Amino acid sequence: MKGIAVRLEGLSKYFGRVAALRTLDLDIHAGEMVAFLGPSGCGKTTTLLMVAGIYQPSSGAIYFGERRVEHLHPRDRDVGMVFQSYALYPHLTLLENIAFPLRLKRVPADEVAAKVRQTAELLGIGHVLERRPAHVSGGQQQRAALARALVKEPQVLLLDEPLSNLDAQIRLHARGEIRRLQQDIGVTSVLVTHDQAEALAMADRVAVFSVGELQQFASPDELYARPANTFVAGFVGHPPMNLIAGTFADGAFTAGPLRLTLPYRVPPGSGTLGMRPEDIALGGPIAGRVVLAETLGREVLVTVETGGATIKMLADSRPVGGAPIGIAVDPARLHLFDREGRRIVAQAA
């Protein structure tokens, strides 16, 4: 199975006067897994359904390789799709569910049997093919839905929240399985999810959406290290980045009594300072008071009130609630944003 490049040009979708997606341009490489990430109503599923052919775009073009496909019926696009609900027929066995798209295409019975068996074995469900969906686990249902999408050897695989119905432990295992399988077979894949951990773990690149617009399209490392704006900064990363509104002036950032000297030249004016909780350390010049300490396992999430801002940080030990505390942050790991929330590319002072 070999993937194909997917290109979206000027793609938009309106429902009446409501813009579900505004003017999207996106290039997905052949064999790449891309995640569409964002909160409910951001446009990610709308985009996926236009790629699938379930929605027609209001404007723009969709290319599979050099072939323009937005006018084609879904059955003519050579895509496989896995839904959140799995959409398995309850009265059919897993074998019959997986074979269904091949039988629709009138593939010879012996070829159907061979392809179904091969795909099922690849996904580890060969031993439960004679069972119906109600008689297998959620993880096995999810793999059966994936097998049904893959058995017809699509050029593009579309995954719409495929893990959201699974328990946390099974979900962790399943995301690794899907990623390994996608890399092995090389099919171009698009994953829709609201779970940033899922997107960062599974995708080569992530497209972050908000209110119908693309905010940033980059690798997981790039999104984390250099978020393009305050939305991406606050959405990607767990616990989320601290975002503090204040003023840049005279080589420093000020928010009430909180003042941080910056080793960068920053245009004066209002803006936002970002600090990731994992980049803040106990013991430092920023004076505060412990408001809350939450155990997360091997780390403790500590909420500190500084007077100018409430800051969350990760610590190895649990400080006393209400106690005075000093914290420090490496200036090189600060994130700076202008008044519109766009990342400031700082220059050395």
Side-chain angles (χ1 to χ4, degrees), residues 214-265:
L214 179 67
Q215 304 296 310
Q216 190 172 358
F217 184 38
S219 69
D221 288 344
E222 178 77 10
L223 287 178
Y224 181 83
R226 286 172 289 279
N229 54 43
T230 51
F231 177 82
V232 177
F235 198 81
V236 174
H238 182 75
M241 183 185 290
N242 296 287
L243 295 170
I244 305 166
T247 303
F248 297 110
D250 301 323
F253 173 82
T254 304
L258 175 65
R259 179 181 172 85
L260 289 173
T261 301
L262 303 174
Y264 319 108
R265 289 199 300 269

Side-chain angles (χ1 to χ4, degrees), residues 179-194:
R179 180 56 170 154
R180 175 192 57 79
L181 181 68
Q182 185 271 333
Q183 289 177 322
D184 287 348
I185 64 181
V187 62
T188 305
S189 303
V190 179
L191 166 72
V192 162
T193 180
H194 64 275

Side-chain angles (χ1 to χ4, degrees), residues 141-159:
Q141 290 181 47
Q142 182 263 336
R143 280 179 274 172
L146 185 58
R148 183 180 57 189
L150 292 173
V151 74
K152 59 179 183 176
E153 299 182 347
Q155 290 184 313
V156 181
L157 176 64
L158 305 176
L159 305 164

Side-chain angles (χ1 to χ4, degrees), residues 22 105 255 335:
R22 298 181 181 88
K105 295 170 70 173
H335 302 261

Side-chain angles (χ1 to χ4, degrees), residues 43-220:
K44 59 186 187 297
T45 299
T46 298
T47 305
L48 185 85
L49 294 178
M50 285 192 283
V51 175
I54 296 171
Y55 284 169
Q56 287 297 305
S58 300
S59 64
I62 302 171
Y63 290 88
F64 286 4
E66 297 305 314
R67 183 175 65 139
R68 192 166 174 172
V69 301
E70 75 275 359
H71 61 287
L72 296 179
H73 190 277
R75 67 170 174 264
D76 299 322
R77 297 196 185 194
D78 198 11
V79 301
M81 190 159 184
V82 179
F83 297 92
Q84 177 179 348
S85 64
Y86 311 142
L88 298 172
Y89 295 108
H91 61 290
L92 300 181
T93 64
L94 296 192
L95 187 152
E96 292 165 333
N97 269 284
I98 297 169
F100 193 79
L102 296 179
R103 289 176 174 158
L104 280 180
K105 295 170 70 173
R106 302 187 184 281
V107 175
D110 57 342
E111 188 177 340
V112 170
K115 283 190 171 183
V116 169
R117 180 63 60 181
Q118 179 185 22
T119 307
E121 291 296 341
L122 188 65
L123 286 160
I125 53 171
H127 62 295
V128 292
L129 284 178
E130 300 305 322
R131 299 182 191 176
R132 291 179 178 168
H135 301 142
V136 299
S137 69
Q140 289 168 329
Q141 290 181 47
Q142 182 263 336
R143 280 179 274 172
L146 185 58
R148 183 180 57 189
L150 292 173
V151 74
K152 59 179 183 176
E153 299 182 347
Q155 290 184 313
V156 181
L157 176 64
L158 305 176
L159 305 164
D160 185 14
E161 301 272 10
L163 308 181
S164 59
N165 288 342
L166 300 177
D167 293 338
Q169 188 172 358
I170 299 174
R171 187 185 308 134
L172 188 65
H173 177 67
R175 79 186 190 194
E177 277 190 334
I178 292 174
R179 180 56 170 154
R180 175 192 57 79
L181 181 68
Q182 185 271 333
Q183 289 177 322
D184 287 348
I185 64 181
V187 62
T188 305
S189 303
V190 179
L191 166 72
V192 162
T193 180
H194 64 275
D195 185 335
Q196 49 129 339
E198 194 171 288
L200 299 181
M202 294 177 68
D204 295 297
R205 290 189 293 167
V206 180
V208 183
F209 290 81
S210 177
V211 291
E213 294 185 347
L214 179 67
Q215 304 296 310
Q216 190 172 358
F217 184 38
S219 69

